Amino acid sequence: MRAWLAVTCLFVACGPLSPPQTGAGGGDVLGGGTAQGGGGVAQGGGDGGGGGTGQLRVEVEPLYEGRGRLGARSNNGFRPWRGGLAVVENALYWVESGAGAGLYRAPLAGCDGGDCVDTVATLTRPSVFAATADSVLVGDVRALQRYPSGGAAAPLGTATEELVLLATHGDVAFWATGDSPINRTPFGGVTSTPIHSNGTPFAMTVAGSRVYWAGVDISGQTVALQSMGVDGATPREEQRFSGGFHTMRGDARFLYYARDTPARILRLSLSNGLLEEVANNAQGVTDFAFDATHAYWVEPGAADLSNGRVRRGAHESTT
């Protein structure tokens, strides 16, 4: 039997998100220390991954074509595109924000003619998107809803402004609008605001037992990387820097994020606070994804988007 690797490529017709323009600013001040004693971040190889690049043959199989505008995007804040694709309990979920705005579900293996695509929910316009092991969370402009894979939709709350950021940890959602409050909503519980962001919230993720977000100051010149425990306690500022911020993603072991122009990709090891530079020549970074051995990221390329690429770096590589 021939083995296939199915890869779904989603392209959004929009220009690149420009990070805030910044001037000279402070250096890294992360409390956990860096790989070069007392000084800057450990320098990594330009391509990341800790080794040479090999050739890998990948057969790409189209699954579902002719869909509407893919992805979630808020009209608030810096208007970044957010991911809108997840695998939950052997089904593929995605959001569309065009004429047929909604949340959709289909088998991972695909089907002839795409007739197996189910409409989970009709939406006004998806603004944020996230997933847990057994559900998908979607912000429909201001309303945050949870869609369990085997049950009815459950409202989590309605914001006073359009949702911009969303992350999850277990049975808790963390979210923000274009304003400073960082909100925490347990599934089926009451929303609280443990802290206000220092600057306009721009990106958010959960790494280990902490929620991280980036705030941009009113001038657009300074970025503050901040965090709090997933229980809403022990908030703190991790870093403050100039040079722009792109995006970030975390898991149980690492926090990866991209900053500056040209983009530098940094990796924070949560176990010991070691901060390392994985790559320093990225052509913008719009998203990260992880597996057990590697981090993968998307670089949209130059201004005309003609030379985009996907790269990866090994988690265990050292610099």
Side-chain angles (χ1 to χ4, degrees), residues 258-291:
R259 52 170 283 194
D260 302 335
T261 303
R264 302 164 60 209
I265 296 175
L266 302 175
R267 176 181 65 204
L268 173 66
S269 296
L270 302 177
S271 61
N272 58 13
L274 179 65
L275 183 65
E276 299 172 281
E277 183 179 88
V278 175
N280 55 23
N281 61 350
Q283 301 170 346
V285 179
T286 57
D287 206 359
F288 289 98
F290 304 135
D291 63 15

PDB file of all heavy atoms in Angstrom, residues 258-291:
ATOM      1  N   ALA A 258       9.238  35.317  17.537  1.00  0.00           N
ATOM      2  CA  ALA A 258      10.000  36.023  16.511  1.00  0.00           C
ATOM      3  C   ALA A 258       9.877  37.517  16.747  1.00  0.00           C
ATOM      4  O   ALA A 258       8.775  38.037  16.964  1.00  0.00           O
ATOM      5  CB  ALA A 258       9.493  35.650  15.118  1.00  0.00           C
ATOM      6  N   ARG A 259      11.013  38.200  16.695  1.00  0.00           N
ATOM      7  CA  ARG A 259      11.065  39.641  16.917  1.00  0.00           C
ATOM      8  C   ARG A 259      12.068  40.264  15.949  1.00  0.00           C
ATOM      9  O   ARG A 259      12.836  39.565  15.289  1.00  0.00           O
ATOM     10  CB  ARG A 259      11.468  39.956  18.359  1.00  0.00           C
ATOM     11  CG  ARG A 259      12.733  39.266  18.820  1.00  0.00           C
ATOM     12  CD  ARG A 259      13.246  39.774  20.147  1.00  0.00           C
ATOM     13  NE  ARG A 259      13.924  41.047  20.013  1.00  0.00           N
ATOM     14  CZ  ARG A 259      14.702  41.585  20.966  1.00  0.00           C
ATOM     15  NH1 ARG A 259      14.866  40.945  22.125  1.00  0.00           N
ATOM     16  NH2 ARG A 259      15.285  42.747  20.770  1.00  0.00           N
ATOM     17  N   ASP A 260      12.034  41.587  15.876  1.00  0.00           N
ATOM     18  CA  ASP A 260      12.978  42.379  15.098  1.00  0.00           C
ATOM     19  C   ASP A 260      12.735  42.255  13.593  1.00  0.00           C
ATOM     20  O   ASP A 260      11.946  41.440  13.133  1.00  0.00           O
ATOM     21  CB  ASP A 260      14.431  42.002  15.407  1.00  0.00           C
ATOM     22  CG  ASP A 260      14.770  42.163  16.887  1.00  0.00           C
ATOM     23  OD1 ASP A 260      14.106  42.965  17.556  1.00  0.00           O
ATOM     24  OD2 ASP A 260      15.687  41.463  17.364  1.00  0.00           O
ATOM     25  N   THR A 261      13.433  43.103  12.842  1.00  0.00           N
ATOM     26  CA  THR A 261      13.370  43.102  11.386  1.00  0.00           C
ATOM     27  C   THR A 261      14.781  43.313  10.842  1.00  0.00           C
ATOM     28  O   THR A 261      15.374  44.356  11.104  1.00  0.00           O
ATOM     29  CB  THR A 261      12.454  44.221  10.863  1.00  0.00           C
ATOM     30  OG1 THR A 261      11.156  44.070  11.427  1.00  0.00           O
ATOM     31  CG2 THR A 261      12.348  44.184   9.348  1.00  0.00           C
ATOM     32  N   PRO A 262      15.356  42.330  10.117  1.00  0.00           N
ATOM     33  CA  PRO A 262      14.826  40.999   9.789  1.00  0.00           C
ATOM     34  C   PRO A 262      14.545  40.195  11.062  1.00  0.00           C
ATOM     35  O   PRO A 262      15.141  40.445  12.100  1.00  0.00           O
ATOM     36  CB  PRO A 262      15.937  40.352   8.965  1.00  0.00           C
ATOM     37  CG  PRO A 262      16.793  41.490   8.492  1.00  0.00           C
ATOM     38  CD  PRO A 262      16.708  42.520   9.558  1.00  0.00           C
ATOM     39  N   ALA A 263      13.659  39.227  10.929  1.00  0.00           N
ATOM     40  CA  ALA A 263      13.169  38.521  12.114  1.00  0.00           C
ATOM     41  C   ALA A 263      14.225  37.591  12.690  1.00  0.00           C
ATOM     42  O   ALA A 263      14.894  36.851  11.964  1.00  0.00           O
ATOM     43  CB  ALA A 263      11.909  37.735  11.768  1.00  0.00           C
ATOM     44  N   ARG A 264      14.347  37.634  14.007  1.00  0.00           N
ATOM     45  CA  ARG A 264      15.127  36.656  14.762  1.00  0.00           C
ATOM     46  C   ARG A 264      14.143  35.715  15.451  1.00  0.00           C
ATOM     47  O   ARG A 264      13.142  36.156  16.008  1.00  0.00           O
ATOM     48  CB  ARG A 264      15.991  37.342  15.816  1.00  0.00           C
ATOM     49  CG  ARG A 264      16.960  38.355  15.287  1.00  0.00           C
ATOM     50  CD  ARG A 264      17.468  39.250  16.405  1.00  0.00           C
ATOM     51  NE  ARG A 264      18.146  38.472  17.451  1.00  0.00           N
ATOM     52  CZ  ARG A 264      18.194  38.849  18.726  1.00  0.00           C
ATOM     53  NH1 ARG A 264      17.586  39.951  19.140  1.00  0.00           N
ATOM     54  NH2 ARG A 264      18.844  38.115  19.598  1.00  0.00           N
ATOM     55  N   ILE A 265      14.433  34.420  15.406  1.00  0.00           N
ATOM     56  CA  ILE A 265      13.591  33.434  16.069  1.00  0.00           C
ATOM     57  C   ILE A 265      14.309  32.988  17.338  1.00  0.00           C
ATOM     58  O   ILE A 265      15.450  32.518  17.285  1.00  0.00           O
ATOM     59  CB  ILE A 265      13.302  32.244  15.145  1.00  0.00           C
ATOM     60  CG1 ILE A 265      12.484  32.737  13.945  1.00  0.00           C
ATOM     61  CG2 ILE A 265      12.567  31.137  15.898  1.00  0.00           C
ATOM     62  CD1 ILE A 265      12.247  31.691  12.903  1.00  0.00           C
ATOM     63  N   LEU A 266      13.640  33.162  18.479  1.00  0.00           N
ATOM     64  CA  LEU A 266      14.216  32.850  19.773  1.00  0.00           C
ATOM     65  C   LEU A 266      13.474  31.697  20.426  1.00  0.00           C
ATOM     66  O   LEU A 266      12.259  31.549  20.247  1.00  0.00           O
ATOM     67  CB  LEU A 266      14.176  34.080  20.685  1.00  0.00           C
ATOM     68  CG  LEU A 266      14.903  35.317  20.151  1.00  0.00           C
ATOM     69  CD1 LEU A 266      14.695  36.496  21.074  1.00  0.00           C
ATOM     70  CD2 LEU A 266      16.378  35.037  19.969  1.00  0.00           C
ATOM     71  N   ARG A 267      14.213  30.897  21.196  1.00  0.00           N
ATOM     72  CA  ARG A 267      13.642  29.746  21.887  1.00  0.00           C
ATOM     73  C   ARG A 267      13.984  29.859  23.375  1.00  0.00           C
ATOM     74  O   ARG A 267      15.148  29.934  23.754  1.00  0.00           O
ATOM     75  CB  ARG A 267      14.227  28.454  21.317  1.00  0.00           C
ATOM     76  CG  ARG A 267      13.755  27.188  22.048  1.00  0.00           C
ATOM     77  CD  ARG A 267      14.407  25.946  21.446  1.00  0.00           C
ATOM     78  NE  ARG A 267      15.851  25.938  21.639  1.00  0.00           N
ATOM     79  CZ  ARG A 267      16.698  25.266  20.866  1.00  0.00           C
ATOM     80  NH1 ARG A 267      16.256  24.577  19.827  1.00  0.00           N
ATOM     81  NH2 ARG A 267      17.995  25.293  21.104  1.00  0.00           N
ATOM     82  N   LEU A 268      12.941  29.841  24.191  1.00  0.00           N
ATOM     83  CA  LEU A 268      13.105  29.847  25.640  1.00  0.00           C
ATOM     84  C   LEU A 268      12.823  28.445  26.171  1.00  0.00           C
ATOM     85  O   LEU A 268      11.729  27.911  25.967  1.00  0.00           O
ATOM     86  CB  LEU A 268      12.144  30.846  26.290  1.00  0.00           C
ATOM     87  CG  LEU A 268      12.084  30.834  27.813  1.00  0.00           C
ATOM     88  CD1 LEU A 268      13.404  31.293  28.421  1.00  0.00           C
ATOM     89  CD2 LEU A 268      10.929  31.720  28.313  1.00  0.00           C
ATOM     90  N   SER A 269      13.804  27.826  26.806  1.00  0.00           N
ATOM     91  CA  SER A 269      13.604  26.530  27.451  1.00  0.00           C
ATOM     92  C   SER A 269      12.976  26.775  28.823  1.00  0.00           C
ATOM     93  O   SER A 269      13.576  27.434  29.683  1.00  0.00           O
ATOM     94  CB  SER A 269      14.943  25.798  27.603  1.00  0.00           C
ATOM     95  OG  SER A 269      15.491  25.497  26.347  1.00  0.00           O
ATOM     96  N   LEU A 270      11.784  26.271  29.028  1.00  0.00           N
ATOM     97  CA  LEU A 270      11.041  26.566  30.244  1.00  0.00           C
ATOM     98  C   LEU A 270      11.658  25.911  31.471  1.00  0.00           C
ATOM     99  O   LEU A 270      11.487  26.394  32.586  1.00  0.00           O
ATOM    100  CB  LEU A 270       9.587  26.119  30.082  1.00  0.00           C
ATOM    101  CG  LEU A 270       8.834  26.754  28.905  1.00  0.00           C
ATOM    102  CD1 LEU A 270       7.427  26.178  28.819  1.00  0.00           C
ATOM    103  CD2 LEU A 270       8.776  28.269  29.042  1.00  0.00           C
ATOM    104  N   SER A 271      12.380  24.826  31.286  1.00  0.00           N
ATOM    105  CA  SER A 271      12.934  24.103  32.424  1.00  0.00           C
ATOM    106  C   SER A 271      14.050  24.864  33.120  1.00  0.00           C
ATOM    107  O   SER A 271      14.241  24.724  34.334  1.00  0.00           O
ATOM    108  CB  SER A 271      13.456  22.739  31.974  1.00  0.00           C
ATOM    109  OG  SER A 271      14.498  22.894  31.017  1.00  0.00           O
ATOM    110  N   ASN A 272      14.798  25.671  32.368  1.00  0.00           N
ATOM    111  CA  ASN A 272      15.943  26.354  32.968  1.00  0.00           C
ATOM    112  C   ASN A 272      16.063  27.832  32.615  1.00  0.00           C
ATOM    113  O   ASN A 272      17.025  28.487  33.015  1.00  0.00           O
ATOM    114  CB  ASN A 272      17.247  25.635  32.586  1.00  0.00           C
ATOM    115  CG  ASN A 272      17.444  25.556  31.073  1.00  0.00           C
ATOM    116  OD1 ASN A 272      16.753  26.222  30.304  1.00  0.00           O
ATOM    117  ND2 ASN A 272      18.391  24.729  30.644  1.00  0.00           N
ATOM    118  N   GLY A 273      15.121  28.373  31.845  1.00  0.00           N
ATOM    119  CA  GLY A 273      15.170  29.781  31.487  1.00  0.00           C
ATOM    120  C   GLY A 273      16.203  30.136  30.444  1.00  0.00           C
ATOM    121  O   GLY A 273      16.481  31.316  30.228  1.00  0.00           O
ATOM    122  N   LEU A 274      16.798  29.153  29.774  1.00  0.00           N
ATOM    123  CA  LEU A 274      17.810  29.418  28.762  1.00  0.00           C
ATOM    124  C   LEU A 274      17.156  29.990  27.507  1.00  0.00           C
ATOM    125  O   LEU A 274      16.242  29.394  26.941  1.00  0.00           O
ATOM    126  CB  LEU A 274      18.552  28.131  28.415  1.00  0.00           C
ATOM    127  CG  LEU A 274      19.645  28.251  27.341  1.00  0.00           C
ATOM    128  CD1 LEU A 274      20.776  29.132  27.822  1.00  0.00           C
ATOM    129  CD2 LEU A 274      20.161  26.867  26.947  1.00  0.00           C
ATOM    130  N   LEU A 275      17.640  31.147  27.056  1.00  0.00           N
ATOM    131  CA  LEU A 275      17.124  31.810  25.868  1.00  0.00           C
ATOM    132  C   LEU A 275      18.172  31.723  24.768  1.00  0.00           C
ATOM    133  O   LEU A 275      19.317  32.150  24.949  1.00  0.00           O
ATOM    134  CB  LEU A 275      16.803  33.273  26.173  1.00  0.00           C
ATOM    135  CG  LEU A 275      16.185  34.091  25.038  1.00  0.00           C
ATOM    136  CD1 LEU A 275      14.799  33.554  24.685  1.00  0.00           C
ATOM    137  CD2 LEU A 275      16.104  35.564  25.433  1.00  0.00           C
ATOM    138  N   GLU A 276      17.783  31.152  23.622  1.00  0.00           N
ATOM    139  CA  GLU A 276      18.714  30.938  22.520  1.00  0.00           C
ATOM    140  C   GLU A 276      18.129  31.466  21.217  1.00  0.00           C
ATOM    141  O   GLU A 276      16.921  31.440  21.009  1.00  0.00           O
ATOM    142  CB  GLU A 276      19.015  29.450  22.352  1.00  0.00           C
ATOM    143  CG  GLU A 276      19.657  28.792  23.562  1.00  0.00           C
ATOM    144  CD  GLU A 276      19.760  27.290  23.401  1.00  0.00           C
ATOM    145  OE1 GLU A 276      18.743  26.608  23.601  1.00  0.00           O
ATOM    146  OE2 GLU A 276      20.858  26.819  23.048  1.00  0.00           O
ATOM    147  N   GLU A 277      19.008  31.932  20.348  1.00  0.00           N
ATOM    148  CA  GLU A 277      18.611  32.351  19.017  1.00  0.00           C
ATOM    149  C   GLU A 277      18.682  31.157  18.073  1.00  0.00           C
ATOM    150  O   GLU A 277      19.737  30.537  17.916  1.00  0.00           O
ATOM    151  CB  GLU A 277      19.519  33.468  18.514  1.00  0.00           C
ATOM    152  CG  GLU A 277      19.108  34.004  17.152  1.00  0.00           C
ATOM    153  CD  GLU A 277      20.023  35.128  16.699  1.00  0.00           C
ATOM    154  OE1 GLU A 277      21.057  34.809  16.075  1.00  0.00           O
ATOM    155  OE2 GLU A 277      19.716  36.301  16.987  1.00  0.00           O
ATOM    156  N   VAL A 278      17.568  30.840  17.443  1.00  0.00           N
ATOM    157  CA  VAL A 278      17.488  29.692  16.537  1.00  0.00           C
ATOM    158  C   VAL A 278      17.806  30.104  15.109  1.00  0.00           C
ATOM    159  O   VAL A 278      18.447  29.381  14.356  1.00  0.00           O
ATOM    160  CB  VAL A 278      16.092  29.046  16.624  1.00  0.00           C
ATOM    161  CG1 VAL A 278      15.936  27.922  15.602  1.00  0.00           C
ATOM    162  CG2 VAL A 278      15.838  28.526  18.029  1.00  0.00           C
ATOM    163  N   ALA A 279      17.331  31.267  14.697  1.00  0.00           N
ATOM    164  CA  ALA A 279      17.590  31.776  13.351  1.00  0.00           C
ATOM    165  C   ALA A 279      17.598  33.292  13.413  1.00  0.00           C
ATOM    166  O   ALA A 279      16.935  33.894  14.266  1.00  0.00           O
ATOM    167  CB  ALA A 279      16.542  31.274  12.364  1.00  0.00           C
ATOM    168  N   ASN A 280      18.347  33.907  12.494  1.00  0.00           N
ATOM    169  CA  ASN A 280      18.438  35.369  12.525  1.00  0.00           C
ATOM    170  C   ASN A 280      18.223  36.013  11.166  1.00  0.00           C
ATOM    171  O   ASN A 280      18.514  37.183  10.981  1.00  0.00           O
ATOM    172  CB  ASN A 280      19.801  35.804  13.089  1.00  0.00           C
ATOM    173  CG  ASN A 280      20.976  35.204  12.336  1.00  0.00           C
ATOM    174  OD1 ASN A 280      20.839  34.820  11.166  1.00  0.00           O
ATOM    175  ND2 ASN A 280      22.118  35.109  12.997  1.00  0.00           N
ATOM    176  N   ASN A 281      17.700  35.262  10.215  1.00  0.00           N
ATOM    177  CA  ASN A 281      17.492  35.808   8.876  1.00  0.00           C
ATOM    178  C   ASN A 281      16.107  35.474   8.340  1.00  0.00           C
ATOM    179  O   ASN A 281      15.919  35.306   7.141  1.00  0.00           O
ATOM    180  CB  ASN A 281      18.561  35.284   7.921  1.00  0.00           C
ATOM    181  CG  ASN A 281      18.526  33.758   7.777  1.00  0.00           C
ATOM    182  OD1 ASN A 281      17.828  33.077   8.527  1.00  0.00           O
ATOM    183  ND2 ASN A 281      19.264  33.238   6.813  1.00  0.00           N
ATOM    184  N   ALA A 282      15.123  35.365   9.218  1.00  0.00           N
ATOM    185  CA  ALA A 282      13.770  34.992   8.790  1.00  0.00           C
ATOM    186  C   ALA A 282      13.106  36.141   8.036  1.00  0.00           C
ATOM    187  O   ALA A 282      13.272  37.314   8.383  1.00  0.00           O
ATOM    188  CB  ALA A 282      12.926  34.598   9.993  1.00  0.00           C
ATOM    189  N   GLN A 283      12.345  35.802   7.019  1.00  0.00           N
ATOM    190  CA  GLN A 283      11.646  36.789   6.198  1.00  0.00           C
ATOM    191  C   GLN A 283      10.240  37.016   6.744  1.00  0.00           C
ATOM    192  O   GLN A 283       9.238  36.728   6.119  1.00  0.00           O
ATOM    193  CB  GLN A 283      11.602  36.294   4.751  1.00  0.00           C
ATOM    194  CG  GLN A 283      12.981  36.067   4.165  1.00  0.00           C
ATOM    195  CD  GLN A 283      12.927  35.345   2.831  1.00  0.00           C
ATOM    196  OE1 GLN A 283      11.895  34.789   2.456  1.00  0.00           O
ATOM    197  NE2 GLN A 283      14.025  35.349   2.110  1.00  0.00           N
ATOM    198  N   GLY A 284      10.189  37.543   7.957  1.00  0.00           N
ATOM    199  CA  GLY A 284       8.901  37.651   8.636  1.00  0.00           C
ATOM    200  C   GLY A 284       8.482  36.279   9.138  1.00  0.00           C
ATOM    201  O   GLY A 284       8.875  35.256   8.577  1.00  0.00           O
ATOM    202  N   VAL A 285       7.689  36.226  10.198  1.00  0.00           N
ATOM    203  CA  VAL A 285       7.190  34.958  10.733  1.00  0.00           C
ATOM    204  C   VAL A 285       5.723  35.155  11.089  1.00  0.00           C
ATOM    205  O   VAL A 285       5.373  36.080  11.822  1.00  0.00           O
ATOM    206  CB  VAL A 285       7.975  34.509  11.984  1.00  0.00           C
ATOM    207  CG1 VAL A 285       7.416  33.200  12.517  1.00  0.00           C
ATOM    208  CG2 VAL A 285       9.459  34.348  11.661  1.00  0.00           C
ATOM    209  N   THR A 286       4.858  34.286  10.554  1.00  0.00           N
ATOM    210  CA  THR A 286       3.426  34.425  10.800  1.00  0.00           C
ATOM    211  C   THR A 286       2.856  33.351  11.710  1.00  0.00           C
ATOM    212  O   THR A 286       1.777  33.534  12.265  1.00  0.00           O
ATOM    213  CB  THR A 286       2.633  34.417   9.476  1.00  0.00           C
ATOM    214  OG1 THR A 286       2.927  33.212   8.766  1.00  0.00           O
ATOM    215  CG2 THR A 286       3.012  35.619   8.618  1.00  0.00           C
ATOM    216  N   ASP A 287       3.542  32.204  11.848  1.00  0.00           N
ATOM    217  CA  ASP A 287       2.995  31.153  12.703  1.00  0.00           C
ATOM    218  C   ASP A 287       4.065  30.113  12.987  1.00  0.00           C
ATOM    219  O   ASP A 287       5.013  29.941  12.214  1.00  0.00           O
ATOM    220  CB  ASP A 287       1.786  30.485  12.042  1.00  0.00           C
ATOM    221  CG  ASP A 287       0.830  29.873  13.065  1.00  0.00           C
ATOM    222  OD1 ASP A 287       1.133  29.952  14.278  1.00  0.00           O
ATOM    223  OD2 ASP A 287      -0.201  29.327  12.662  1.00  0.00           O
ATOM    224  N   PHE A 288       3.898  29.424  14.124  1.00  0.00           N
ATOM    225  CA  PHE A 288       4.733  28.296  14.512  1.00  0.00           C
ATOM    226  C   PHE A 288       3.852  27.058  14.675  1.00  0.00           C
ATOM    227  O   PHE A 288       2.667  27.164  14.974  1.00  0.00           O
ATOM    228  CB  PHE A 288       5.427  28.547  15.856  1.00  0.00           C
ATOM    229  CG  PHE A 288       6.521  29.570  15.835  1.00  0.00           C
ATOM    230  CD1 PHE A 288       6.274  30.871  16.230  1.00  0.00           C
ATOM    231  CD2 PHE A 288       7.804  29.224  15.447  1.00  0.00           C
ATOM    232  CE1 PHE A 288       7.281  31.817  16.230  1.00  0.00           C
ATOM    233  CE2 PHE A 288       8.828  30.159  15.445  1.00  0.00           C
ATOM    234  CZ  PHE A 288       8.568  31.463  15.837  1.00  0.00           C
ATOM    235  N   ALA A 289       4.466  25.891  14.527  1.00  0.00           N
ATOM    236  CA  ALA A 289       3.825  24.623  14.869  1.00  0.00           C
ATOM    237  C   ALA A 289       4.913  23.703  15.400  1.00  0.00           C
ATOM    238  O   ALA A 289       6.096  23.842  15.058  1.00  0.00           O
ATOM    239  CB  ALA A 289       3.149  23.998  13.647  1.00  0.00           C
ATOM    240  N   PHE A 290       4.527  22.737  16.250  1.00  0.00           N
ATOM    241  CA  PHE A 290       5.490  21.857  16.889  1.00  0.00           C
ATOM    242  C   PHE A 290       5.106  20.399  16.696  1.00  0.00           C
ATOM    243  O   PHE A 290       3.926  20.055  16.603  1.00  0.00           O
ATOM    244  CB  PHE A 290       5.560  22.109  18.407  1.00  0.00           C
ATOM    245  CG  PHE A 290       5.868  23.523  18.789  1.00  0.00           C
ATOM    246  CD1 PHE A 290       5.154  24.149  19.802  1.00  0.00           C
ATOM    247  CD2 PHE A 290       6.873  24.230  18.164  1.00  0.00           C
ATOM    248  CE1 PHE A 290       5.441  25.443  20.170  1.00  0.00           C
ATOM    249  CE2 PHE A 290       7.172  25.524  18.522  1.00  0.00           C
ATOM    250  CZ  PHE A 290       6.458  26.139  19.533  1.00  0.00           C
ATOM    251  N   ASP A 291       6.129  19.535  16.682  1.00  0.00           N
ATOM    252  CA  ASP A 291       5.930  18.126  16.977  1.00  0.00           C
ATOM    253  C   ASP A 291       6.935  17.754  18.057  1.00  0.00           C
ATOM    254  O   ASP A 291       7.534  18.633  18.684  1.00  0.00           O
ATOM    255  CB  ASP A 291       6.031  17.246  15.724  1.00  0.00           C
ATOM    256  CG  ASP A 291       7.409  17.271  15.067  1.00  0.00           C
ATOM    257  OD1 ASP A 291       8.386  17.727  15.701  1.00  0.00           O
ATOM    258  OD2 ASP A 291       7.517  16.807  13.919  1.00  0.00           O
TER     259      ASP A 291
END
